[in-house]
């Protein structure tokens, strides 16, 4: 019998196929004692397994490239964490086997993170994956992971580790569905980069029986279980219509009546540039420079290395706009040489610009590297600070940019509600705003962006979030300055129209989403977008806002 389930759609497209489940998680190793004379051998086994898993994660990252590479390299560093390894060896010394010591040491560290209020929920999931890989290697059993199949399928899992998501084969994995996760989780972001339809936060996803035929609509978040022929035909026709619209939409982003909305790409480094150019990006709206720093979380990269990396990106967009976010460290992106290890509430502590202002030499080096990288290039360089709270923050950043001799526009990211509410004040110090809707939602609703249980509050269609976007955009208009969106909200084609109607002046997203947004914007006038935005803000929930906007744009 055909039934319909609803999760959170995080990657556009439609997939129809049979369910295949992720490999079973590693079983808990038995707790048996070893003689003291075997401790050294077991410690050697543990170290070899850790190094092998770290090397495997690094190799997967090299194959994947882009954002996936940075995520997997961070996992590899997690596997080699000196404190964890020391705890493993201590447990072996008092009689544990290598596999049991790894299991217990990781469990203890996991409990510490969970006890900190789950602000590291995304890292906890990554930690579990690293543990499972090391224990599997020690036990000599197959790694948990993507199932082997010669036929295309829809992958279903409780959650997907970055190591699995990064190397999904789109020719075999038609789409994926998870029970956990949220719209801004690692897996969601990587799914969009791959262009694989995906739905997350679907209650009871793992209860879908192996081999069941399901249809996944990554745009609406709907899952159709045992769809009938009529439903399949309807979904396939819709997918074909979308594909045709994508093929016909080319050139700069604009509404049907010619209102220009530059469509830019979010990138993590030079490896993402080709996909951005292929998708027709008009520039870069968010260059996440922290991935360069994650190569070595013990030391900042040299100025020379930074210059080389930045210049590769700037050279790819002659006459284009490239917006660089300076290092955003802290919370879910800790760096040993910068981030306090004992913060009770890291997401509300020293992160982003606060970290850089406490370490001015790191900011000074980065700004100097950007200035040198842009020398002689016709690119329009813009540099922005993360986690700006008020005018004082904005002035401190602008002063640092001027002191470094940076010939560029200085901007502020709006990720904290205070910055949106006082946007006109912030704009007295900087020349543009960029809305990071992922963190702005997190701080507006007190809802961790990595926790599936609160994904309802991470929905960028929440009217309160749209209100903050409107306030910031109106402030920028009044000051004659620009206000873009570089959060994941921009990758939703329907929401892109609403954001345009709210007064946002540019949209930046993962490269895979650019054609969808370009094609959808081209179907509607600016006035229609404004009416849809007003209808969405008048709603009382994210679902109501989405439906209201859709009704306006479809002429219902």
């Amino acid at each position: 019998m055909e039934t319909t389930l609803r999760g959170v759609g995080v990657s556009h497209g439609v997939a129809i196929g049979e369910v295949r489940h992720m490999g079973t998680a590693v079983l808990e190793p038995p707790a048996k004692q070893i003689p003291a004379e075997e401790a050294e051998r077991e410690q050697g086994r543990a170290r070899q397994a850790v190094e092998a898993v770290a090397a495997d994660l690094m190799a997967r990252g090299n194959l994947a490239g882009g954002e996936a590479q940075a995520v997997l390299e961070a996992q590899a560093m997690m596997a080699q964490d000196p404190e964890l390894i020391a705890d493993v060896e201590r447990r072996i010394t008092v009689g544990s086997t290598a596999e049991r010591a790894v299991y217990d040491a990781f469990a203890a560290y996991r409990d510490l993170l969970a006890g900190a209020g789950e602000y590291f929920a995304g890292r906890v999931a990554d930690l579990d994956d690293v543990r499972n890989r090391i224990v599997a290697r020690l036990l000599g059993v197959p790694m948990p992971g993507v199932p082997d199949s010669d036929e295309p399928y829809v992958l279903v899992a409780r959650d997907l580790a970055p190591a699995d998501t990064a190397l999904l084969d789109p020719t075999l994995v038609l789409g994926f569905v998870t029970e956990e996760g949220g719209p801004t989780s690692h897996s969601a972001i990587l799914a969009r980069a791959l262009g694989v339809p995906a739905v997350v936060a679907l209650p009871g996803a793992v209860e879908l029986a192996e081999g069941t035929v399901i249809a996944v609509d990554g745009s609406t978040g709907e899952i159709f279980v045992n769809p009938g022929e009529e439903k399949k035909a309807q979904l396939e026709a819709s997918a074909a219509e979308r594909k045709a619209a994508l093929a016909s939409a080319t050139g700069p982003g604009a509404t049907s009546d010619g209102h220009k909305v530059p469509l830019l790409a979010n990138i993590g480094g030079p490896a993402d540039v080709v996909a951005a150019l292929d998708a027709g990006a008009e520039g870069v709206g968010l260059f996440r420079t922290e991935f360069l720093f994650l190569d070595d979380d013990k030391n900042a990269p040299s100025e020379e290395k930074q210059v080389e990396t930045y210049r590769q990106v700037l050279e790819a967009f002659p006459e284009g706009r490239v917006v660089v976010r300076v290092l955003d460290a802290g919370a879910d992106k800790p760096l040993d040489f910068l981030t306090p290890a004992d913060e009770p509430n890291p997401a509300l502590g020293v992160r982003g610009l606060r970290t850089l202002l406490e370490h001015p030499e790191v900011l000074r080096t980065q700004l100097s590297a950007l200035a040198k990288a842009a020398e002689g290039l016709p690119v329009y360089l813009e540099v922005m600070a993360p986690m700006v709270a008020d005018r004082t923050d904005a002035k401190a950043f602008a002063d640092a940019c001027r002191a470094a001799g940076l010939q560029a526009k200085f901007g502020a990211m709006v990720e904290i509600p205070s910055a949106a509410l006082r946007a006109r004040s912030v704009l007295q110090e900087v020349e543009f705003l960029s809305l990071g809707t992922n963190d702005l939602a997190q701080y507006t609703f007190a809802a961790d962006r990595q926790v599936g249980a609160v994904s309802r509050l991470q929905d960028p269609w929440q009217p309160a979030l749209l209100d903050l976007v409107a306030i910031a955009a109106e402030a920028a208009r009044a000051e004659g300055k620009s206000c873009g969106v570089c959060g994941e909200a921009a990758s939703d084609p329907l929401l892109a129209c609403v954001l345009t109607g709210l007064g946002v002046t540019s949209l930046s997203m993962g490269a895979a989403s650019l054609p969808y947004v370009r094609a959808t914007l081209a179907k509607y006038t600016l006035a229609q977008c404004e009416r849809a935005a007003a209808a969405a803000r008048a709603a009382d929930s994210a679902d109501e806002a989405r439906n209201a906007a859709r009704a306006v744009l479809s002429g219902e």
Side-chain angles (χ1 to χ4, degrees):
M1 184 178 75
E2 181 180 321
T3 57
T4 303
L5 307 173
R6 183 181 287 278
V8 178
V10 296
S11 185
H12 308 301
V14 172
I16 302 174
E18 292 187 0
V19 167
R20 293 287 182 274
H21 286 273
M22 281 290 288
T24 307
V26 175
L27 296 175
E28 181 178 346
K32 65 179 183 180
Q33 291 291 106
I34 60 168
E37 60 269 20
E38 292 184 17
E40 187 175 345
R41 180 179 67 85
E42 289 295 288
Q43 288 173 341
R45 286 181 64 229
R47 284 192 294 270
Q48 288 175 0
V50 164
E51 292 304 319
V53 166
D56 178 62
L57 290 168
M58 292 291 285
R60 286 169 177 258
N62 289 333
L63 284 173
E67 293 182 13
Q69 182 172 2
V71 172
L72 294 176
E73 287 177 353
Q75 268 196 296
M77 288 189 287
M78 187 183 292
Q80 296 170 304
D81 183 279
E83 291 186 16
L84 267 173
I85 293 173
D87 190 21
V88 168
E89 294 188 343
R90 181 187 63 78
R91 291 172 187 274
I92 291 173
T93 300
V94 296
S96 285
T97 61
E99 49 266 33
R100 185 70 207 192
V102 167
Y103 187 90
D104 289 341
F106 273 71
Y109 190 42
R110 189 187 199 283
D111 289 343
L112 283 175
L113 294 183
E118 294 203 37
Y119 285 95
F120 289 121
R123 294 185 70 82
V124 165
D126 295 354
L127 188 73
D128 288 346
D129 180 58
V130 172
R131 175 204 65 199
N132 289 348
R133 291 174 185 278
I134 297 172
V135 172
R137 184 170 290 274
L138 287 166
L139 291 175
V141 300
M143 293 281 180
V146 178
D148 291 328
S149 176
D150 295 329
E151 297 297 324
Y153 59 90
V154 176
L155 182 62
V156 175
R158 185 168 300 281
D159 204 352
L160 283 172
D164 295 316
T165 315
L167 295 182
L168 288 178
D169 182 349
T171 64
L172 284 177
V173 181
L174 302 171
F176 68 73
V177 179
T178 67
E179 190 160 314
E180 299 294 329
T184 58
S185 64
H186 280 152
S187 292
I189 292 171
L190 294 177
R192 285 188 284 271
L194 286 167
V196 177
V199 171
V200 301
L202 179 73
V206 295
E207 296 171 15
L208 291 167
E210 187 88 0
T212 302
V213 175
I214 63 173
V216 179
D217 190 328
S219 300
T220 66
E222 292 175 304
I223 304 293
F224 303 96
V225 183
N226 296 314
E229 293 305 316
E230 184 178 347
K231 174 59 71 175
K232 287 183 184 178
Q234 178 187 338
L235 289 169
E236 287 169 350
S238 175
E241 183 181 332
R242 286 180 196 166
K243 188 174 181 179
L246 294 181
S248 65
T250 57
T255 58
S256 63
D257 56 341
H259 175 73
K260 292 182 179 179
V261 187
L263 300 181
L264 313 171
N266 294 344
I267 68 169
D272 297 330
V273 165
V274 172
L277 292 172
D278 288 347
E282 298 170 56
V284 173
L286 173 61
F287 179 1
R288 300 182 180 97
T289 59
E290 61 269 19
F291 292 125
L292 177 61
F293 287 74
L294 287 171
D295 283 347
D296 179 1
D297 72 348
K298 301 289 190 288
N299 302 284
S302 66
E303 182 174 313
E304 292 72 21
K305 182 177 181 180
Q306 291 188 57
V307 170
E308 179 185 357
T309 301
Y310 302 149
R311 195 168 180 89
Q312 287 180 55
V313 173
L314 296 175
E315 286 176 337
F317 293 93
E319 305 294 338
R321 177 186 177 199
V322 176
V323 184
V324 178
R325 179 175 72 189
V326 294
L327 175 63
D328 184 13
D332 62 340
K333 291 168 287 197
L335 293 170
D336 284 355
F337 67 95
L338 286 180
T339 311
D342 56 352
E343 282 192 299
N345 205 337
L348 301 180
V350 181
R351 63 167 295 195
L353 180 60
R354 299 168 188 174
T355 301
L356 292 174
L357 294 178
E358 286 199 356
H359 299 271
E361 73 286 353
V362 175
L363 177 59
R364 186 166 51 247
T365 299
Q366 184 170 25
L367 294 174
S368 175
L370 284 165
K372 291 177 180 178
E375 285 178 2
L377 297 181
V379 69
Y380 295 96
L381 175 63
E382 301 184 10
V383 182
M384 62 185 180
M387 301 300 293
V388 169
D390 56 15
R391 182 173 179 173
T392 300
D393 279 352
K395 183 178 187 304
F397 178 65
D399 287 347
C401 289
R402 283 188 283 267
L406 192 61
Q407 300 298 309
K409 284 187 175 182
F410 318 141
M413 289 199 70
V414 177
E415 301 164 283
I416 302 173
S418 62
L421 294 169
R422 300 286 294 171
R424 289 198 72 169
S425 174
V426 170
L427 283 165
Q428 303 312 302
E429 304 295 342
V430 295
E431 298 172 81
F432 69 93
L433 300 178
S434 185
L435 290 144
T437 52
N438 305 349
D439 271 324
L440 185 57
Q442 172 170 257
Y443 293 120
T444 299
F445 297 102
D448 193 318
R449 56 189 285 189
Q450 298 291 349
V451 177
V454 293
S455 62
R456 174 182 73 83
L457 297 171
Q458 268 291 332
D459 192 326
W461 281 94
Q462 285 284 356
L465 187 66
L466 299 181
D467 287 344
L468 291 174
V469 173
I471 290 169
E474 171 57 26
R477 187 197 65 75
E479 293 294 328
K481 296 179 178 180
S482 63
C483 177
V485 168
C486 64
E488 291 299 314
S491 64
D492 178 336
L494 184 64
L495 185 52
C497 295
V498 167
L499 295 172
T500 299
L502 291 174
V504 166
T505 56
S506 66
L507 299 166
S508 189
M509 65 210 73
S513 298
L514 284 164
Y516 290 91
V517 172
R518 182 184 295 111
T520 304
L521 265 180
K523 292 165 59 177
Y524 305 109
T525 64
L526 176 59
Q528 285 176 300
C529 292
E530 290 172 339
R531 288 196 295 274
R537 287 185 69 190
D540 290 320
S541 71
D543 284 342
E544 288 179 15
R546 187 182 289 105
N547 292 336
R550 186 177 288 117
V552 168
L553 293 178
S554 63
E556 295 177 7

